[in-house]
Amino acid sequence: MSDEEKGLSAGTVILSFLAGAAVGAGVALLVAPKTGEELRATIRDLADDAVDKIKEYASEAQDKIRTSYEEGKDMIMEKKSILSSAIEAGKEAMEREKEKYKEV
């Protein structure tokens, strides 16, 4: 059974990891002996890095969603075409059978 079937996607794992790393870094900063100005600068830098990583992750997720959507759309169009052909063939077969019984 894949992770997605268990309800745990790779994106969830990555996001959880990033959130845990951010919390751990924040706690480490708060207990580290630094001046207030140094601490604020460090927190600001870490927050900027976290925002950049989240934006990058969101962009990658959008690309994957877009790709999956397009693949799904193509597959549906293909299946629709096959189904339409099958329905048309069924109609033609039914008409041929009707003609046979009309002649009898």
Side-chain angles (χ1 to χ4, degrees):
M1 186 185 279
S2 72
D3 285 344
E4 289 180 1
E5 291 173 352
K6 294 178 188 174
L8 184 66
S9 69
T12 303
V13 173
I14 291 171
L15 191 56
S16 299
F17 178 77
L18 288 175
V23 169
V27 170
L29 288 174
L30 293 174
V31 297
K34 290 185 177 183
T35 66
E37 187 175 325
E38 290 174 330
L39 184 60
R40 286 189 297 275
T42 305
I43 291 172
R44 189 172 26 257
D45 291 341
L46 287 174
D48 290 342
D49 288 343
V51 167
D52 291 341
K53 287 179 183 178
I54 290 170
K55 285 180 181 178
E56 180 182 331
Y57 172 72
S59 176
E60 289 174 8
Q62 285 177 337
D63 291 341
K64 287 180 182 180
I65 290 169
R66 194 173 295 119
T67 300
S68 296
Y69 171 77
E70 290 299 326
E71 288 173 357
K73 185 175 155 184
D74 291 343
M75 185 177 68
I76 288 172
M77 294 303 290
E78 179 183 331
K79 299 299 180 186
K80 181 180 175 184
S81 175
I82 291 169
L83 186 58
S84 294
S85 297
I87 290 171
E88 190 61 36
K91 285 179 181 179
E92 290 173 7
M94 188 169 61
E95 288 299 320
R96 283 193 303 267
E97 290 300 314
K98 280 183 181 179
E99 290 300 319
K100 282 184 188 178
Y101 287 110
K102 282 183 181 177
E103 293 173 359
V104 175

